[in-house]
Amino acid sequence: MSQPGAGAPAVTVPAVTQPIGELARPLRGKRALVAGGDGDIGSAVSAGLAADGADVAVAGIDGESAARLADRLSTADNRTAGYRVDITDRASVDDLVASLATAWGGIDVLVNCAGLLKVNAAEDFAAEDWRAVVDLNLTGAFLLTQAVGRNMIKNAEGGRIVLLSSVRGSIGLAIGGWAAYGASKAGVHLLGKQLATEWGKHQISVNGLASGFVRAGVSAKALENKGYAAMVAARTPLGRVAEIQEVANAAVYLAGPRSSFVTGQVLFVDGGLTASQ
């Protein structure tokens, strides 16, 4: 068996035969940051990490909303905190990471759920809308991950990074309007792969999580249209959309010890959509 590189942190691999009681809270003692953590999917991810024993920092553009969710997730067994962050602003990101480093000593898990969708035909897509989507979905994801990655490297304890993405980063859609969003998410896919190859020597895993149709946000509203709902079901081999919790479950898996040898991947939580294209 090959040995970790010089200076690499030790790796503890959970056995599949480990007693279930020991796995009930597999993230106990881990410090997690969820950006966009008070949104539809982010809230479920934050709750899932807390349920698995992690200390959870909920961060979002609305600091009061993040703080309220953090308060609800707090228990006697874990710490929670709410923060305001604008991931397109390097100073805001750096302040957040510095605050967590001071309060908790560092960050073990990052899940980025922050994202922006603007839809318009490619020939009519405004330049300012393009920049807004790419700035948040791709540049913001990089600024946040870079800052957290620096902290993980400095602490030399490894870490887990999960970047939420979309099937639109891999496949187009004949119904126009997805140029900026799809391009930004394709960038997130490759960003995760590149960071995984660079930071593997530090025992930092980086993975993407690409969902298909999810009953959340604007999609939940669109699914109220029976024709649209039927189209989605027909295109998805499992014949339905994902529920928010199903996406959150996958994020918590990638953040936890069961995915200890998974890195540089994009996990598609899409009911078979991309497999059928």
Side-chain angles (χ1 to χ4, degrees), residues 161-207:
I161 296 173
V162 184
L163 304 175
L164 261 65
S165 188
S166 167
V167 297
R168 295 279 76 81
S170 295
I171 57 174
L173 186 64
I175 301 173
W178 298 83
Y181 187 77
S184 69
K185 292 304 186 180
V188 169
H189 290 181
L190 192 54
L191 174 64
K193 291 176 181 293
Q194 181 62 36
L195 295 179
T197 60
E198 291 191 32
W199 292 349
K201 63 188 176 185
H202 302 293
Q203 299 304 308
I204 298 171
S205 71
V206 187
N207 292 290

Side-chain angles (χ1 to χ4, degrees), residues 173-265:
L173 186 64
I175 301 173
W178 298 83
Y181 187 77
S184 69
K185 292 304 186 180
V188 169
H189 290 181
L190 192 54
L191 174 64
K193 291 176 181 293
Q194 181 62 36
L195 295 179
T197 60
E198 291 191 32
W199 292 349
K201 63 188 176 185
H202 302 293
Q203 299 304 308
I204 298 171
S205 71
V206 187
N207 292 290
L209 194 168
S211 58
F213 297 99
V214 185
R215 199 182 306 279
V218 295
S219 292
K221 184 68 176 177
L223 287 165
E224 294 175 5
N225 181 300
K226 292 183 179 180
Y228 180 78
M231 179 275 292
V232 169
R235 294 193 63 206
T236 306
L238 287 184
R240 62 177 180 85
V241 301
E243 301 299 334
I244 290 172
Q245 191 61 52
E246 292 175 303
V247 179
N249 289 346
V252 173
Y253 159 72
L254 290 173
R258 289 298 196 187
S259 63
S260 57
F261 205 61
V262 180
T263 193
Q265 305 303 308

Side-chain angles (χ1 to χ4, degrees), residues 131-150:
R131 284 191 291 269
V133 172
V134 174
D135 281 353
L136 183 60
N137 293 355
L138 182 54
T139 305
F142 172 69
L143 293 176
L144 176 66
T145 306
Q146 180 187 53
V148 172
R150 286 171 174 164

Side-chain angles (χ1 to χ4, degrees), residues 107-165:
I107 301 167
D108 302 299
V109 173
L110 167 66
V111 183
N112 180 35
C113 302
L116 176 65
L117 171 64
K118 288 181 178 288
V119 178
N120 201 358
E123 64 272 22
D124 298 323
F125 213 98
E128 58 267 27
D129 288 341
W130 174 277
R131 284 191 291 269
V133 172
V134 174
D135 281 353
L136 183 60
N137 293 355
L138 182 54
T139 305
F142 172 69
L143 293 176
L144 176 66
T145 306
Q146 180 187 53
V148 172
R150 286 171 174 164
N151 179 267
M152 290 177 172
I153 292 168
K154 178 182 178 181
N155 286 352
E157 296 175 349
R160 308 288 171 86
I161 296 173
V162 184
L163 304 175
L164 261 65
S165 188

